[in-house]
Each structure stands twice: as structure tokens, then as C-alpha cells.
Amino acid sequence: MKKVLGFLKIYGIITFGAFLAALGISLFFAPVNLVAGGLSGIGVLVHGYTGFPVGLLMLLLNIPLFILGYKHLGSGFLFRSMYGAFIFSVLTDVLSFFPAITNNLMLCALFGGGLVGIGMGIIFLTGATTGGSDIAAHLLHRLFPGLDVGKWLLVTDGVIILCAAFAAGHAEACLYGVIAATTNSILIDLMIQGANFAKVVYIVSPKAEQIAQETMRVLDRGATGLYCKRMYTQKDGLVLLCVIKKHEIPKLKKIVLAHDPTAFIIFTGARSVSGEGFKNYPIN
């Protein structure tokens, strides 16, 4: 039963992310023929000239990419991504029947790019994509991990935008496409980094043992005691090292101050944390 619920949860999240991304394409990009990269950009460009459905074209173009994705990224990734691509394509065409919200290119670039970025970020956190340049970005990320997925998406989308601008001959539309792709990339990075972000806490107190015990009991977070020497008092002691989620900060502060109101607490950010007590998201 737990496996079934987990399965439904993952595919429900993928569906929700695809819905948001499809809103961005159908309500903001397609009505003004704004190409912001990816297969959706190619679909928007072809739709503008021929009226061919954007979602259907994306689905057809994804077939060879999924074959390549299976070879390099494995079956688990493939099945989730195939569903993501299918539901994204279907929702894109279904939502195209709704009227456009605005014809202002800047608003379409910002809001469309925002919806697509948030939707893609949600899908990426499940270990899936919607196909297209997403698969290319994942492959490039594995080959060259120095750039994260969002940056590689920006590179691949940039190439598509330039090709579309050359074909259409609209330099201004190309600039708006760059704005949309940049917004998309930034929000994908924020979604992924936000999911992995945590706080590293250093606590200097003579009551470090008591604080550590209550932290483990109340927050279910481990603590590491680092032996130190306080230079002002010349006494040996412990500095507690603890990694927590941002929403746990008030509870930790309450625990520390209850034992030692004069405790010295240092908070610093950790962009990504893995290990016991922290979920390993499929995309880093």
C-alpha cells in the first residue's frame, strides 16, 4: 500500500508540474509566438506558421530523444519522463483553448517563463523531465557537472532561440525569448536549491551536552561535538555542530536559550545536504 501511495504521489507531482508549465506555454508563449527554447519553442514556432498543435509536435519530437535518454539515463528516469512528456503535451493542447491573458511580450516572457520554470523545477525534483532539451540538459549535466541542470537548459534553449529568430527574422522576439528562458532557468535553480537548502549551526555553550540531548530528542537531528579551547577563559569545551532545515531554526533557538541564555550561536547556509535525516533529491 505504501508503494502504491508513493507511486501515486510522484506521478501526481509530475502532473501538477506539467500543468503549471503547460499554462505558461498555452496562455503566454503560444498566443504571441514567443519562442523560449526547448521543444515547446519549436512547437510554438511551427504552430505560428502552420497551426499544427504545439503539444502534439512536442510529443512526436520527443520520441528519438527518449530513445537516447533510455540508453544513457536508465529505465526509471525514462518511464517518469515519458509520462511527464505525455501529460505536458496533452495539457498544452487542452489549455490552448483558453483565451490569452495578455499580448504584452514582456509580461508573457516573465509570467510564461515563471510558470514554466516552477513547473519544470517541480518535475525535476521527482527525478523526471518533460523530454526535449530537458533530457539534453540532464545528459550534459552528467558529462559536465560543473554546470547545474538549469544552466545547461539555458545553453540549449539559447541555441534554439537563436535558430528560431534566424528562421523567423524577429530580433525583438528573440530578446524577449532570452528573458523568458532566463526567468525559466533562474526559477528552476531556485526550486532545486530551495529543496536541498539547509542551515549549519554552531553552538558555543558550557551546556553543550544538555543542548545536544534535547536537540536529538525534540528535533530528531544529530549533533556533533567539536572539542575546542575558549581563548578568553582558557577553558576546554565543546562546540556543537548541527544541520537543520530552515523551518526548524525557531525550535532550535528555543532549546538553546532555555538551557543557556548567553549561548553563542552561528548560522550559516548549506546549499545541499545529503545523508541521514535529509532527503536525497534526484536532481542536484
Side-chain angles (χ1 to χ4, degrees):
M1 186 63 180
K2 187 179 291 187
K3 289 184 178 180
V4 173
L5 291 176
F7 176 87
L8 293 175
K9 179 181 178 181
I10 289 175
Y11 281 84
I13 292 173
I14 293 173
T15 302
F16 178 66
F19 173 75
L20 293 179
L23 278 178
I25 300 295
S26 298
L27 299 185
F28 293 101
F29 288 170
V32 295
N33 295 324
L34 181 59
V35 176
L39 292 188
S40 61
I42 298 174
V44 168
L45 183 64
V46 173
H47 175 76
Y49 284 102
T50 67
F52 195 88
V54 177
L56 180 58
L57 182 61
M58 289 193 297
L59 198 58
L60 294 175
L61 293 176
N62 264 316
I63 294 174
L65 288 171
F66 276 123
I67 295 174
L68 182 63
Y70 175 78
K71 181 179 179 181
H72 291 277
L73 298 172
S75 59
F77 175 88
L78 174 72
F79 292 136
R80 288 191 297 269
S81 297
M82 283 180 63
Y83 174 77
F86 174 77
I87 195 66
F88 179 42
S89 299
V90 170
L91 288 173
T92 298
D93 284 345
V94 169
L95 293 172
S96 66
F97 292 101
F98 289 92
I101 295 177
T102 177
N103 290 322
N104 184 292
L105 282 172
M106 179 60 77
L107 292 177
C108 288
L110 293 175
F111 283 91
L115 283 171
V116 173
I118 293 172
M120 293 297 182
I122 290 173
I123 293 172
F124 284 179
L125 289 175
T126 67
T129 77
T130 56
S133 59
D134 301 347
I135 291 181
H138 278 72
L139 293 172
L140 289 168
H141 175 64
R142 292 205 169 200
L143 292 173
F144 307 101
L147 288 180
D148 54 34
V149 175
K151 298 298 189 302
W152 278 121
L153 269 175
L154 188 59
V155 172
T156 55
D157 288 345
V159 173
I160 294 173
I161 291 171
L162 289 175
C163 292
F166 179 77
H170 299 300
E172 185 175 298
C174 172
L175 297 178
Y176 284 115
V178 171
I179 293 174
T182 303
T183 304
N184 179 6
S185 175
I186 290 172
L187 284 170
I188 287 175
D189 286 348
L190 289 176
M191 291 289 296
I192 296 172
Q193 291 172 15
N196 288 292
F197 192 79
K199 285 288 185 179
V200 179
V201 188
Y202 297 94
I203 304 168
V204 182
S205 171
K207 297 185 178 180
E209 294 279 0
Q210 298 94 313
I211 293 171
Q213 291 299 322
E214 190 167 353
T215 298
M216 290 186 284
R217 180 179 62 83
V218 175
L219 297 181
D220 195 26
R221 293 294 184 193
T224 301
L226 307 175
Y227 289 99
C228 67
K229 183 174 183 178
R230 298 180 178 87
M231 301 309 296
Y232 183 75
T233 61
Q234 294 295 306
K235 292 181 179 179
D236 294 333
L238 287 176
V239 174
L240 288 181
L241 169 63
C242 187
V243 181
I244 60 175
K245 289 292 187 180
K246 289 186 289 185
H247 66 85
E248 295 172 325
I249 291 175
K251 291 182 180 180
L252 180 62
K253 281 185 175 180
K254 185 177 180 180
I255 292 171
V256 174
L257 297 178
H259 287 281
D260 183 4
T262 63
F264 191 65
I265 311 173
I266 303 172
F267 293 94
T268 185
R271 179 175 177 180
S272 180
V273 179
S274 63
E276 187 175 354
F278 288 87
K279 181 177 179 180
N280 287 316
Y281 287 95
I283 307 300
N284 294 314

